[in-house]
Amino acid sequence: MGEGTTGARRRRNPEQTRTAIIDALLAAVKEGVFAPTAKDIAQRAGASERSIFVHFPGIDELRVAAVDRQSEQVEALIRTIDPELPLDARIDLVVEQSADIFALQRNPRVLGLLESHSLPAVDARMRLTDSRIRVALEHAFRAELSRTGESDEELLDTIDATVGWPFRHHLVERRGLSRAAASAAVRRALAALLHADHPGRSDFG
């Protein structure tokens, strides 16, 4: 690398270098590079390969840190939706949120699910984010979930699955739909669930 890059390295504090390494790994994964080498990560971070192992005992620790950063970014997209809004307005906001989260998770989620089987810390962090999304959905649709007087966990499971990564991944990756077309399919499915047996049910398409 040139002298300018070396100078930039020297001006970084340790936390900035650590952050750059994590961001470099995430950037690679988002581009579809699921197993970037230490050399690739270092080049993307503008750091030395040695610095990776100064900040992280091993690649697994770096992966856990990257999942934590990714999870924080996903959680920043979770909205607190007013449950008093009209149902269709809440559905639209949830579908938009699901599209934003999928755009961020599209490739990292694939790798995260694989790594969750061998890295308990990755599994735990992903489950925490999933639970926070679920809590937000429960808040947004509390009226529909409590029609019988008790929280309908089965309906919440179905809502969660409908707006979650797997369904949208199928629509986008396997069916080849655009973001807008996938969102229309998610919205239609969600509306069918939530308008069922609902007084004043409206038509939807």
Side-chain angles (χ1 to χ4, degrees):
M1 292 186 182
E3 185 177 342
T5 303
T6 303
R9 281 189 204 160
R10 289 174 180 164
R11 287 194 294 273
R12 282 181 179 164
N13 63 42
E15 187 56 34
Q16 288 174 324
T17 300
R18 185 178 187 278
T19 297
I21 292 167
I22 294 170
D23 289 345
L25 174 56
L26 279 176
V29 173
K30 287 174 182 177
E31 291 173 14
V33 181
F34 292 132
T37 64
K39 181 179 181 180
D40 183 23
I41 294 168
Q43 287 178 338
R44 288 171 181 268
S48 67
E49 288 184 56
R50 176 181 171 278
S51 69
I52 294 175
F53 300 101
V54 168
H55 292 277
F56 302 96
I59 291 297
D60 283 353
E61 287 77 12
L62 173 55
R63 288 172 176 164
V64 170
V67 168
D68 190 48
R69 173 66 54 77
Q70 170 77 9
S71 296
E72 290 173 354
Q73 292 172 353
V74 169
E75 288 166 10
L77 297 175
I78 300 173
R79 302 178 179 186
T80 301
I81 297 171
D82 184 354
E84 302 300 322
L85 288 172
L87 177 55
D88 285 334
R90 285 178 279 140
I91 289 172
D92 286 342
L93 289 170
V94 165
V95 171
E96 184 179 352
Q97 172 185 285
S98 79
D100 290 341
I101 289 176
F102 178 78
L104 188 60
Q105 285 186 324
R106 186 170 181 172
N107 284 333
R109 182 79 174 181
V110 176
L111 185 57
L113 288 171
L114 290 173
E115 293 180 338
S116 68
H117 293 286
S118 58
L119 295 173
V122 168
D123 184 56
R125 189 63 182 89
M126 290 177 68
R127 286 179 184 274
L128 178 59
T129 299
D130 291 345
S131 71
R132 287 173 173 167
I133 294 172
R134 183 184 176 90
V135 167
L137 293 172
E138 185 174 20
H139 176 75
F141 299 120
R142 69 184 185 191
E144 291 72 29
L145 290 166
S146 59
R147 286 174 191 153
T148 62
E150 297 181 0
S151 181
D152 189 337
E153 290 296 314
E154 184 177 317
L155 177 57
L156 181 55
D157 284 338
T158 310
I159 293 169
D160 201 359
T162 301
V163 303
W165 179 88
F167 183 36
R168 194 175 279 268
H169 182 267
H170 170 75
L171 294 171
V172 172
E173 299 292 350
R174 310 308 297 173
R175 297 285 299 130
L177 300 187
S178 65
R179 171 176 169 141
S183 287
V186 171
R187 190 195 187 285
R188 182 170 185 174
L190 192 55
L193 285 171
L194 294 169
H195 277 293
D197 302 320
H198 188 270
R201 176 179 175 179
S202 62
D203 291 331
F204 53 89

